[in-house]
Amino acid sequence: MYQTKAVGCRELLKDYEGRKHDYAAYRLVFEGAEGYDVYNISQEFEEGGQFYLAGRVEKRDNEISCVRIFRRTGEHRYTADFPEMVFERFQDPFVTRIGEELVLGGVQIETDPLYPERVINWRTLFYRGKTIRELKLFAAGPAHMKDIRLGEMENGKIAIFTRPQGKMGGLGKIGFTSVDALEEVNEESILGARIFDTHFLPEEWGGANQVNLLEDGRLGVLGHIAYRDENHLHYHSMSFLFDPETMGHTPVKIIARRSDIPAGGAKRPDLEDVIFSGGLVRREDGKWELYTGVSDCEACVIEIDDPFKA
């Protein structure tokens, strides 16, 4: 059954609490970025027999970050690699594979010349290449749009999930379109996406974080759903199935929340109840690993049940 109207985050949390969860969670340790926080990571990916992930690297007292590539060097441990590849003023990286190419994206920020720690503009940038070292910029999204994600489709096309705000998207809605090739990913195609009002209430927001092609041809979308109360932001990981043929999607389902992870730090007190979905990796035993940022200062992996199972 496809969803025809949005359901509020608080109601989705009640449903989540009513389901049985047998989760394990562990923090990731990063070396080579001492004095900085590493958070809002991508999922792990493999190249040449080594395993890597991309992470947002940032001082605790500001948001002027860069993105670096980290190599797995132990259990739950990663070390900064590729010192020549530091993506400056870059945030919230994501990684996918399209055909034989690696695609890395993130949010490029622009700051006020008079107030260097004040962000005044941002846009999503996309890099592509056969290997990490071959990554080259190939596309940019519209100004002030985060959470644009790409994924392969069964028919060979490329799915694009967008997240407009303002006049088109309010606080942040999910849009969808598709193109025939990576060369067609551009501002025009992104702005041409169909926008849905069936994921979030007007006073809430969210976006897609990863697109997974499933065996039945539907797209398993990992995302986030969020709202603000008087004192705190609340971000939770969620998922839904999207049918590109009918343009329908199953109900949004919360799959993890901050309290699933042991207590830890936070960049600010209002970010204590925040996890930001980075990506999923399916294991051979049927479990999935959810890579996520935590309270804008840490990174974690949560072992969860199949997020796309009804």
Side-chain angles (χ1 to χ4, degrees):
M1 175 181 288
Y2 291 136
Q3 186 159 310
T4 57
K5 65 177 182 178
V7 177
C9 191
R10 293 172 179 83
E11 186 174 340
L12 294 176
L13 279 170
K14 290 180 180 178
D15 173 72
Y16 178 79
E17 292 165 354
R19 289 183 266 128
K20 182 179 179 181
H21 306 286
D22 183 22
Y23 287 0
Y26 47 85
R27 282 187 174 80
L28 303 183
V29 177
F30 294 92
E31 298 174 339
E34 287 72 19
Y36 292 79
D37 294 326
V38 181
Y39 70 102
N40 286 12
I41 54 174
S42 74
Q43 81 280 10
E44 194 177 69
F45 61 96
E46 187 269 340
E47 181 179 303
Q50 299 284 336
F51 290 89
Y52 301 91
L53 56 74
R56 174 173 172 171
V57 181
E58 185 175 286
K59 287 283 190 180
R60 185 69 62 97
D61 62 356
N62 65 61
E63 296 184 11
I64 310 306
S65 60
C66 69
V67 166
R68 295 205 61 181
I69 305 296
F70 294 83
R71 175 172 50 89
R72 191 211 295 171
T73 51
E75 187 176 17
H76 312 158
R77 186 175 297 273
Y78 294 82
T79 300
D81 206 343
F82 300 94
E84 75 280 14
M85 297 187 67
V86 178
F87 299 84
E88 298 288 353
R89 294 179 178 265
F90 216 42
Q91 300 179 346
D92 305 342
F94 54 90
V95 172
T96 190
R97 290 196 182 275
I98 305 292
E100 297 182 354
E101 292 193 88
L102 177 71
V103 175
L104 181 145
V107 178
Q108 182 80 67
I109 60 171
E110 177 186 346
T111 55
D112 190 324
L114 298 179
Y115 303 94
E117 294 186 358
R118 180 185 174 193
V119 177
I120 58 174
N121 192 17
W122 56 89
R123 69 175 66 240
T124 302
L125 301 184
F126 298 89
Y127 295 77
R128 63 188 287 192
K130 292 290 184 66
T131 67
I132 296 171
R133 282 195 167 88
E134 294 177 291
L135 289 171
K136 301 294 183 184
L137 179 68
F138 77 95
H144 298 283
M145 189 184 292
K146 302 181 179 182
D147 302 328
I148 307 169
R149 297 294 187 270
L150 310 180
E152 289 186 306
M153 294 170 59
E154 190 176 44
N155 61 6
K157 291 189 175 184
I158 297 169
I160 306 176
F161 285 87
T162 71
R163 199 205 69 169
Q165 293 177 283
K167 184 177 180 180
M168 291 177 61
L171 296 177
K173 295 181 180 180
I174 290 176
F176 174 81
T177 188
S178 64
V179 294
D180 292 327
L182 286 174
E183 289 77 12
E184 297 177 23
V185 177
N186 54 43
E187 187 170 337
E188 182 181 6
S189 60
I190 291 167
L191 288 173
R194 172 182 168 181
I195 311 304
F196 295 83
D197 59 8
T198 48
H199 295 98
F200 315 118
L201 296 178
E203 64 271 23
E204 299 178 354
W205 67 93
N209 294 98
Q210 185 193 42
V211 185
N212 298 270
L213 176 59
L214 304 180
E215 290 181 355
D216 64 2
R218 290 187 294 179
L219 303 175
V221 180
L222 168 69
H224 61 278
I225 183 170
Y227 69 96
R228 181 193 297 272
D229 61 22
E230 291 182 0
N231 299 309
H232 293 89
L233 284 164
H234 303 273
Y235 273 72
H236 312 292
S237 293
M238 63 81 165
S239 66
F240 60 89
L241 297 175
F242 183 82
D243 187 337
E245 294 293 326
T246 66
M247 301 288 275
H249 68 86
T250 60
V252 169
K253 177 176 69 173
I254 289 177
I255 58 172
R257 59 181 182 174
R258 176 63 184 83
S259 59
D260 294 321
I261 303 166
K267 191 176 186 72
R268 302 190 309 264
D270 64 315
L271 298 172
E272 292 175 353
D273 190 32
V274 168
I275 60 172
F276 188 74
S277 306
L280 290 161
V281 174
R282 185 178 184 178
R283 300 194 321 206
E284 291 183 358
D285 64 1
K287 287 279 189 178
W288 292 64
E289 293 179 336
L290 169 62
Y291 289 72
T292 177
V294 183
S295 300
D296 282 20
C297 70
E298 297 180 316
C300 183
V301 172
I302 313 173
E303 297 176 355
I304 66 173
D305 298 322
D306 187 343
F308 306 121
K309 185 177 180 180

